[in-house]
Amino acid sequence: MSDAPYLSLEKLTLAYGDTVAVANLDLPIRKGELVALLGPSGCGKTTTMRAIAGLLPVKSGHVRLDGADITRVPANKRAVGLVFQSYALFPHLSVYENVAFGLKLKGMRGTGLDAKVRSGLTSVGLSSFANRKPAELSGGQQQRVALARSMVMEPKVLLLDEPLSNLDARLRLEMRTELQRVQKETGVTMIFVTHDQAEALALADRIVVMKNGKIEQIGSPEDIYNRPTSSFVADFVGFENIFPIEQGKMKTSSGLIDLSGPAPSAAGLAWRPRMVTLGSGPFRGTVRGTSFAGDSREYLLDTPFGPIKAEVEASQPAHALGSDLSFDLPAEKAAPLSRFA
Amino acid sequence: MFQNRAEALALALPAAFFAAAVFLMPVAILLSDGFRNPVGGWTISAYTDFFADPLNRTVFLRTLRLGAIVTVVSAVLGYAAAFAIVNLEPGTKGKMTGLVVLPLMISPVARTYAWIVILGRTGIVNQALQLVGLTDAPLRILFSETAVFVGLLQLFLPLMIISLISALENMPKDAVPAARVLGANWFQVFWKVILPLTKEGLVIGGTLVFTGSLTAYITPAILGGSKVLMLETLLYQQVSVSNNFVSASVIAFILIVMSFAANILLKRVATARNKQRVPQ
Amino acid sequence: MKKVILASGAALMLTMGAAQAQEKTLTISVYAFAQDEFKQLVYDPFEKICGCKLVVETGNSVERLAKLEANKANPMVDMAVVSMADALAASRAGLIDKVDTAKLSNFNKIYDVAKDPNGDGMSVGYTFYATSIAYRSDKMKIESWADLLKPEYASHIAWPNVTTNQGPPALYMLGLALGKDTPDLAAPIEAVGEKKGEIVTFYEKSSQLVQLMQQEEIWAAPIGRFSWAPFTKLDMPIAWANPKEGQTGGMNVMVVTKGSKNRELALQFMDFWLSTDTQTKLAEKLIDSPANKEVKLSDAIANNLTYGEETAKSLKLIPSAVALDNRAGWVKTWNEKVGQ
Amino acid sequence: MSARSLFIPLTLFLVLGFLIGPFLIIVAASFSGGETLAFPPQGFSLRWILKVFTVESFRASFGMSMFLAIGGTAAALMLGIPASYALSRYKLPGAEIVRTVVSAPIIVPGIIVGLALLRYIVVPFQVGITPALFLAHTALVLPYAVRVVSASLDNLRSDIEEAAVLLGSSRLGAFFRVVMPNIRGGILSAFILGFVTSFNQVPVSLFLSGPGVRTLPIDMIAYMEIVFDPSVAALSSLLAFLSIGIVFAAERFLGFSRYV
């Protein structure tokens, strides 16, 4: 892995008609990286991916790949592969012909073509399905055909649109392993788009969280999971108790509240339910709801500063609905947020 | 959705231009003839003249009346036939639908001519009536509104049945049993459940049948003749016999307005329903 | 799909090509009846003589006149045969040219009344016809034109529409029978109007009558003698009436369209049609009564035609100018009393 | 069985009899040995079927109608497929206008189309009757072409074209390589629908007939007005079996009814 960016988006602005979808986006990606574009629908992640593929004209800014400016290079000359969310297999062609499609356009013929297609199919474990039509395959198999179809083209970058979203839980795990294996074996640079944080965390080397056409945070899965820098990212990765900080105090609907420990300097603090101390502490709340989740138990507390979610190990004694509890939001455990919006 | 406007226009414009040049423009000029004042300017006097003539009024009302009757009768028969067909086994259903569609593939000329043989004084209808003793002397059916009605009904009933079949098939399967369980009799089931749920199909079929009846030429010409003129046959007569293009333009305009009125009705009901669907 | 497109493209080119390949073409516009016989007796022999191709348009007189009018700027038809009145109408509308009778070698053989029927030099008569009533002699007895409207008959007759060639003459004779023969035909139209519910149909093409007669839809109808022949072939007792008011009729004439590019060929064709040989053959097949006085026919044939100058002169005809000047009025009265 | 459970099937039976009966009578009359169109037919013979092939005007007008139906439908598809593609795949400015304009000929009565063409295209521009008929039939079929092809394009995911482009195909190449093969059934259905519509069309052709130029239905009407023999019945039966055969084959192999 080299440190110089292999694919870089520079001041990229994308629009549908007059509606700007992505504004002034900068994103360098190293060769061989596996990057996730994570965000809710409408955040611009798919738009960005389509622009990298060349399916969407760039309004301003640049896309550079492997040292060349490809901003105006048409999609069919970019050497960028894309595995569509729907797989987009050609329904009238067999699995074999689907995989051979791009190679034939490159002018490949005869045994060279055949060998390449066969090895592509073998690598995704579908060599015995060569003569089937896409409609005769399961969703997971179709996706592997789509993967093989893109990979035989030896793209410089492989894009994947919500690669795991259409699969059931078991296949999801299988596909995740498959993608990691392919990436490891070929060293291809992969970018995938997802709205599912678990998918991004499990698969990516680096996660780019997007919101409203802008990058909210870039970091390793650990960074994103443990150290969100904004309330948006914190919320997105499961910090359910988030408060702004003013003058070193927590700002709530019932005024500024002192926290235990040294006064924080961040713009906000975020706690996962598990980070809330239950049964002791300076604050009091009433149990409004409770749910049992196997090895843990979750409580929803009514407090003077709004609802708080807390989670404790199931081995702890249970609290009944309506019971009054003391709790604490320990500042030292919280994730400090530099931006609150 | 592709964004390239120039490409989109290059693809769509030839067809639009063709339809505009070959079709819209000539028709528009033709229609404007009816509003042109011979001494210059515009006038609706051709229309007042047209409706001042009792023959024209008769023909206009007859066209409207026959169109409406054909539409209503085809709706009644259409519901019965469509209901019977959708409740058949899948295989039989396909075959029956095929039989309904079959007449549409046959030249209307042939279909209309068959009625001359059937409805004539020596035709099978009269033979049957005399055999059962319903009438002593053969009835005269040809060259009457009845003959035109029968011909039009046979021509357009398939369109109604097909529209209603697809409407009935799109109806939630449990609606009728649910209504029955709630105590509705068959009349109530039809009126309160089936009719509202298949309204869209009824309107589509109704518009097709009504518009078709307005604009059919051969059937009124052959089965009605000059005794049962309809707007379309009157138009032909105005042009080919009287050389009266202004009158032809007036009739054309009336026909188009009637078709559009039916069509707008269809679109209104259809879009009112479409709004309930979740957009993709 | 590609194949279909290619095939249709080829078909298109073939058709266009074929249309251009016919160089010498004479386009004529004639009545629709007896086209098989005309083809055999007139068109095919003429094509052999002139080495050209004949293109034939058929229809009734008014309909074809309307087409001539529509295509005035770019005439497609070179020569047409129409009724006397329509010839006058065409002449008034500037659709036809004077006939150069010097180029017709058979011109002097035709009856004098046929040489210039409208007195404007624009047309030449080629056939006469009587108009009377064809009727089922087993079902009814016709002695007067008014008999058709008798209550027991009215629901078994077809009457010619006022816009057809037979319409006004038939109404005129009905007027004579009713004793009210004003040129506006008001009385006979009124009389027909009173029976409009009963009358089976107001026919526009006489050819349709054979079928109606065959199906027993009608028992009688006023018709021109030229459409008589098919009735004689029906397996039914059908007679040609000789009403006490007499028979009416008409003359059909040939005209040359203004702006025709094949004037010479048209005249050659007219001359061929007027020749003794052609006129005899057409008469023998009971198609057109001859206007050529040299035509000699057997009695059997003559009895089924309108033969001889005397017969022709005896027909009670409406003068073209009267017909033309009153036509709009007739149609108006008709629409009021009968049409609606 | 109760009276009610009999009522609906009985109605269906009667309705089908009403719809199919005339056709059966025409077919029976085609094999009549008699001289006129009548039912029941007098005797059995093939002479009227054979006569159809000897009537010269039928041959000419059949050729004309075939030419119009095939050529006009093909032309309508050549205009209609790109337009449908633009309507279904592009953000087209004025899409509603384009859609209305191309589908307008379906709403306006045919006789008016024919008359308008005669008065304002044929006469002023000195267009021949044949080209005019060709234009009219193309315009007439265009709405069907656009409707059916659009329906089959809408049923096809648009991302397969993008997939083809990303695999190195040009946009045009993607259309022919992955779109066309998948809407072939729709195109063929549009073709059949257009063919049948055009072939059986009467009102449009009513005013558009000239010396020697006539479509088959118009010729059949004209023939029947003169000769009331069963040859027209025979011709109708032959044509009907031809259309039924084509539609049956199309349904069998392509699922024609999905698109109509």
Side-chain angles (χ1 to χ4, degrees):
Chain A
M1 265 191 226
S2 131
D3 271 356
Y6 182 62
L7 170 69
S8 69
L9 310 180
E10 297 164 9
K11 304 228 169 309
L12 198 62
T13 299
L14 305 169
Y16 293 101
D18 292 331
T19 322
V20 173
V22 169
N24 242 347
L25 184 111
D26 282 299
L27 177 63
I29 292 170
R30 288 183 304 275
K31 185 166 186 168
E33 245 188 324
L34 209 172
V35 175
L37 298 181
L38 174 67
S41 65
C43 72
K45 58 187 192 298
T46 306
T47 308
T48 307
M49 184 194 70
R50 290 175 62 82
I52 299 172
L55 295 172
L56 186 75
V58 171
K59 189 142 195 176
S60 67
H62 294 275
V63 181
R64 285 182 213 284
L65 176 60
D66 199 9
D69 186 340
I70 59 163
T71 314
R72 305 274 167 234
V73 174
N76 54 348
K77 306 226 158 64
R78 281 197 181 189
V80 173
L82 171 57
V83 175
F84 287 80
Q85 186 177 8
S86 67
Y87 320 135
L89 297 180
F90 308 131
H92 63 299
L93 298 179
S94 68
V95 167
Y96 183 96
E97 287 163 326
N98 261 281
V99 176
F101 186 91
L103 298 174
K104 281 190 190 163
L105 285 172
K106 270 186 173 174
M108 209 179 257
R109 292 285 181 276
T111 51
L113 172 74
D114 190 60
K116 190 121 193 179
V117 173
R118 300 254 171 233
S119 87
L121 282 173
T122 309
S123 78
V124 294
L126 287 173
S127 46
S128 55
F129 293 83
N131 294 323
R132 300 254 184 115
K133 284 278 168 69
E136 297 164 322
L137 300 182
S138 72
Q141 290 168 330
Q142 289 187 29
Q143 185 170 37
R144 280 184 282 158
V145 176
L147 183 63
R149 186 175 70 177
S150 291
M151 287 309 295
V152 292
M153 300 296 290
E154 296 168 7
K156 290 179 174 167
V157 176
L158 180 66
L159 306 167
L160 302 108
D161 190 3
E162 303 272 4
L164 305 180
S165 66
N166 285 348
L167 304 175
D168 63 36
R170 198 179 49 82
L171 275 174
R172 223 173 253 229
L173 185 65
E174 206 173 278
M175 197 63 211
R176 193 192 284 172
T177 329
E178 179 92 11
L179 287 175
Q180 282 167 330
R181 182 184 58 79
V182 166
Q183 206 259 343
K184 192 171 246 168
E185 278 173 11
T186 60
V188 67
T189 308
M190 269 191 200
I191 301 172
F192 72 99
V193 152
T194 181
H195 66 277
D196 179 356
Q197 48 122 344
E199 201 173 306
L201 294 168
L203 202 50
D205 296 334
R206 204 147 61 102
I207 295 173
V208 179
V209 185
M210 292 183 69
K211 180 197 173 193
N212 293 337
K214 291 204 165 82
I215 293 176
E216 190 76 11
Q217 185 176 356
I218 304 182
S220 68
E222 292 77 12
D223 281 342
I224 300 291
Y225 189 80
N226 295 323
R227 289 174 291 279
T229 57
S230 72
S231 56
F232 173 80
V233 178
D235 184 44
F236 205 77
V237 295
F239 288 79
E240 296 192 58
N241 307 302
I242 305 173
F243 293 94
I245 300 295
E246 245 173 50
Q247 303 156 20
K249 295 173 187 188
M250 189 168 82
K251 191 187 179 196
T252 71
S253 50
S254 50
L256 297 177
I257 291 179
D258 279 316
L259 289 162
S260 54
S265 57
L269 290 179
W271 293 266
R272 291 182 180 279
R274 196 174 276 277
M275 297 170 172
V276 179
T277 314
L278 210 58
S280 66
F283 313 120
R284 295 199 74 80
T286 315
V287 176
R288 272 287 157 254
T290 167
S291 70
F292 176 65
D295 50 1
S296 69
R297 199 185 296 274
E298 230 180 82
Y299 293 96
L300 180 66
L301 302 179
D302 242 4
T303 77
F305 38 90
I308 291 287
K309 257 195 189 169
E311 187 187 319
V312 294
E313 290 200 2
S315 55
Q316 303 270 323
H319 303 283
L321 273 181
S323 52
D324 207 37
L325 292 178
S326 55
F327 71 94
D328 191 13
L329 296 170
E332 73 279 5
K333 282 191 180 171
L337 309 176
S338 55
R339 271 173 300 133
F340 197 98
Chain B
M1 276 284 187
F2 302 133
Q3 302 292 318
N4 192 330
R5 259 177 205 206
E7 254 176 54
L9 288 174
L11 289 168
L13 281 187
F17 182 77
F18 176 84
V22 167
F23 171 79
L24 279 187
M25 284 222 314
V27 169
I29 301 174
L30 179 84
L31 295 181
S32 74
D33 282 353
F35 294 99
R36 200 162 279 149
N37 195 331
V39 295
W42 304 93
T43 171
I44 57 155
S45 67
Y47 286 80
T48 49
D49 289 354
F50 180 84
F51 282 107
D53 186 331
L55 171 68
N56 293 341
R57 281 204 302 272
T58 311
V59 171
F60 172 74
L61 291 176
R62 179 185 293 135
T63 308
L64 210 59
R65 180 174 62 236
L66 271 172
I69 296 174
V70 170
T71 309
V72 169
V73 174
S74 69
V76 173
L77 293 178
Y79 265 114
F83 201 74
I85 288 174
V86 292
N87 285 320
L88 292 169
E89 314 263 303
T92 331
K93 193 198 285 183
K95 284 187 194 115
M96 289 297 155
T97 314
L99 282 180
V100 172
V101 181
L102 182 91
L104 295 176
M105 303 295 156
I106 299 165
S107 166
V109 178
R111 287 159 81 193
T112 304
Y113 249 80
W115 289 111
I116 292 189
V117 183
I118 298 168
L119 299 177
R121 224 173 255 258
T122 54
I124 46 178
V125 168
N126 266 317
Q127 285 174 23
L129 287 177
Q130 281 169 294
L131 200 71
V132 220
L134 277 175
T135 171
D136 296 333
L139 296 176
R140 197 169 74 215
I141 311 172
L142 279 184
F143 308 115
S144 69
E145 280 191 24
T146 315
V148 178
F149 161 75
V150 169
L152 290 175
L153 186 66
Q154 199 249 358
L155 219 48
F156 298 116
L157 179 57
L159 300 176
M160 178 65 93
I161 299 181
I162 292 166
S163 306
L164 289 179
I165 287 177
S166 69
L168 284 170
E169 281 188 332
N170 288 335
M171 202 172 76
K173 287 274 165 276
D174 303 334
V176 171
R180 291 289 285 165
V181 168
L182 291 170
N185 64 32
W186 278 107
F187 178 76
Q188 288 167 324
V189 166
F190 178 77
W191 205 248
K192 305 258 162 147
V193 181
I194 299 179
L195 191 63
L197 286 175
T198 54
K199 193 172 59 177
E200 200 179 331
L202 179 64
V203 173
I204 293 174
T207 314
L208 289 174
V209 173
F210 184 73
T211 322
S213 304
L214 290 190
T215 58
Y217 172 79
I218 324 164
T219 303
I222 292 178
L223 297 178
S226 57
K227 273 182 88 175
V228 193
L229 279 178
M230 288 183 56
L231 283 176
E232 186 109 336
T233 39
L234 181 65
L235 192 158
Y236 182 77
Q237 214 185 52
Q238 291 295 340
V239 172
S240 66
V241 177
S242 315
N243 233 341
N244 187 344
F245 290 106
V246 173
S247 177
S249 160
V250 170
I251 301 172
F253 191 74
I254 294 171
L255 279 173
I256 290 176
V257 167
M258 286 163 90
S259 311
F260 265 92
N263 199 258
I264 284 166
L265 190 74
L266 152 78
K267 277 199 175 151
R268 276 206 149 164
V269 177
T271 46
R273 294 220 134 217
N274 279 342
K275 272 180 196 153
Q276 296 165 1
R277 283 186 205 141
V278 184
Q280 295 273 325
Chain C
M1 196 61 235
K2 236 186 244 171
K3 271 185 201 157
V4 176
I5 294 172
L6 282 177
S8 54
L12 179 69
M13 277 183 253
L14 273 177
T15 316
M16 302 280 175
Q20 279 164 358
Q22 302 152 7
E23 280 179 345
K24 216 171 144 199
T25 304
L26 179 69
T27 308
I28 62 169
S29 167
V30 299
Y31 289 95
F33 76 102
Q35 284 306 297
D36 284 345
E37 286 86 352
F38 272 110
K39 184 168 162 39
Q40 186 198 340
L41 301 177
V42 187
Y43 310 152
D44 287 351
F46 182 71
E47 279 185 339
K48 272 197 201 105
I49 293 169
C50 70
C52 63
K53 174 145 178 62
L54 262 186
V55 179
V56 183
E57 178 188 49
T58 60
N60 69 26
S61 191
V62 209
E63 216 175 273
R64 289 181 293 113
L65 189 70
K67 263 192 192 165
L68 284 186
E69 172 92 53
N71 295 320
K72 196 173 171 178
N74 183 27
M76 304 186 186
V77 168
D78 297 307
M79 172 271 178
V81 301
V82 292
S83 73
M84 248 168 77
D86 285 334
L88 186 62
S91 144
R92 285 187 188 174
L95 304 177
I96 53 176
D97 269 342
K98 273 210 157 47
V99 181
D100 188 355
T101 53
K103 295 207 167 114
L104 300 176
S105 65
N106 293 305
F107 186 69
N108 288 324
K109 295 179 193 160
I110 62 177
Y111 299 138
D112 288 343
V113 279
K115 280 181 177 157
D116 185 10
N118 287 330
D120 55 2
M122 302 287 228
S123 57
V124 175
Y126 71 95
T127 186
F128 298 96
Y129 58 85
T131 292
S132 187
I133 301 157
Y135 70 101
R136 284 280 293 269
S137 53
D138 55 336
K139 304 267 189 195
M140 60 207 302
K141 204 168 149 79
I142 298 288
E143 286 166 344
S144 159
W145 284 83
D147 286 351
L148 283 175
L149 298 184
K150 279 185 179 170
E152 64 268 36
Y153 295 162
S155 61
H156 296 283
I157 66 156
W159 190 271
N161 200 302
V162 72
T163 55
T164 64
N165 284 348
Q166 309 313 315
L171 287 167
Y172 173 65
M173 295 313 287
L174 181 61
L176 279 179
L178 298 169
K180 295 172 193 163
D181 56 336
T182 51
D184 61 7
L185 299 179
I189 291 177
E190 174 114 38
V192 169
E194 278 163 16
K195 300 284 181 188
K196 68 178 178 193
E198 284 119 276
I199 293 173
V200 175
T201 186
F202 298 102
Y203 76 82
E204 272 158 3
K205 282 171 188 152
S206 60
S207 36
Q208 156 191 25
L209 295 173
V210 184
Q211 162 207 330
L212 294 179
M213 194 72 98
Q214 152 78 26
Q215 284 198 291
E216 300 194 23
E217 215 63 44
I218 56 165
W219 292 344
I223 62 165
R225 194 74 185 195
F226 56 87
S227 39
W228 170 244
F231 290 94
T232 61
K233 289 175 199 152
L234 287 181
D235 192 16
M236 287 172 171
I238 296 172
W240 183 261
N242 201 352
K244 58 177 188 258
E245 298 85 15
Q247 302 186 10
T248 176
M251 191 192 303
N252 284 329
V253 300
M254 300 169 159
V255 295
V256 180
T257 36
K258 186 170 253 170
S260 155
K261 292 170 193 80
N262 300 298
R263 180 67 47 88
E264 293 305 313
L265 208 52
L267 287 168
Q268 194 189 342
F269 178 67
M270 286 161 70
D271 200 27
F272 179 75
W273 195 335
L274 291 172
S275 70
T276 314
D277 187 40
T278 308
Q279 293 252 320
T280 308
K281 281 180 182 154
L282 286 171
E284 281 168 352
K285 291 266 182 185
L286 300 185
I287 293 162
D288 273 344
S289 304
N292 184 321
K293 50 193 168 199
E294 288 180 4
V295 174
K296 297 281 176 278
L297 296 175
S298 72
D299 284 353
I301 299 287
N303 281 341
N304 274 318
L305 285 173
T306 313
Y307 178 57
E309 194 157 21
E310 288 312 308
T311 320
K313 278 182 184 160
S314 77
L315 299 177
K316 297 197 164 70
L317 303 184
I318 306 176
S320 297
V322 173
L324 222 48
D325 294 339
N326 284 290
R327 202 182 253 174
W330 295 339
V331 172
K332 192 164 180 292
T333 320
W334 177 273
N335 281 348
E336 279 162 13
K337 307 283 183 197
V338 185
Q340 54 163 315
Chain D
M1 269 216 210
S2 72
R4 195 179 51 233
S5 59
L6 262 175
F7 172 74
I8 295 266
L10 193 69
T11 316
L12 176 63
F13 181 76
L14 290 176
V15 164
L16 285 177
F18 175 69
L19 291 178
I20 309 291
F23 171 60
L24 296 180
I25 283 174
I26 286 286
V27 172
S30 333
F31 295 101
S32 168
E35 288 295 325
T36 54
L37 185 54
F39 191 84
Q42 304 127 329
F44 175 88
S45 87
L46 288 175
R47 56 195 266 233
W48 302 112
I49 303 270
L50 297 174
K51 191 190 167 185
V52 168
F53 297 96
T54 65
V55 178
E56 197 176 345
S57 74
F58 284 164
R59 280 210 297 264
S61 56
F62 177 78
M64 174 56 68
S65 277
M66 278 305 250
F67 159 67
L68 291 174
I70 294 175
T73 306
L77 281 171
M78 280 187 251
L79 291 167
I81 293 173
S84 309
Y85 191 71
L87 287 170
S88 117
R89 294 291 192 265
Y90 284 85
K91 219 162 132 188
L92 179 67
E96 263 323 294
I97 298 174
V98 170
R99 209 184 291 276
T100 309
V101 168
V102 296
S103 55
I106 223 170
I107 300 166
V108 175
I111 196 164
I112 299 169
V113 180
L115 180 62
L117 268 156
L118 177 68
R119 297 264 290 161
Y120 302 107
I121 300 275
V122 173
V123 175
F125 299 106
Q126 307 214 349
V127 176
I129 291 289
T130 308
L133 273 171
F134 182 78
L135 293 177
H137 279 243
T138 304
L140 187 82
V141 173
L142 188 58
Y144 296 96
V146 171
R147 199 180 75 186
V148 178
V149 174
S150 290
S152 66
L153 275 171
D154 290 345
N155 283 337
L156 185 70
R157 301 193 55 99
S158 61
D159 50 17
I160 63 166
E161 290 140 80
E162 298 183 336
V165 167
L166 288 169
L167 291 169
S169 180
S170 67
R171 281 291 303 283
L172 197 64
F175 178 79
F176 284 106
R177 286 192 191 97
V178 304
V179 178
M180 278 293 263
N182 286 301
I183 59 167
R184 212 165 40 190
I187 291 175
L188 200 79
S189 302
F191 191 88
I192 291 170
L193 194 64
F195 182 91
V196 172
T197 307
S198 164
F199 201 88
N200 289 334
Q201 173 64 36
V202 170
V204 165
S205 322
L206 215 50
F207 289 118
L208 296 174
S209 66
V213 183
R214 248 186 199 164
T215 64
L216 188 57
I218 301 287
D219 203 40
M220 282 162 73
I221 296 176
Y223 183 89
M224 280 187 289
E225 277 169 353
I226 302 162
V227 192
F228 199 56
D229 70 24
S231 56
V232 169
L235 177 55
S236 304
S237 310
L238 290 175
L239 293 176
F241 283 118
L242 187 73
S243 343
I244 293 166
I246 293 171
V247 172
F248 184 77
E251 173 67 49
R252 200 66 194 263
F253 299 115
L254 294 156
F256 173 60
S257 55
R258 272 184 297 155
Y259 301 97
V260 182

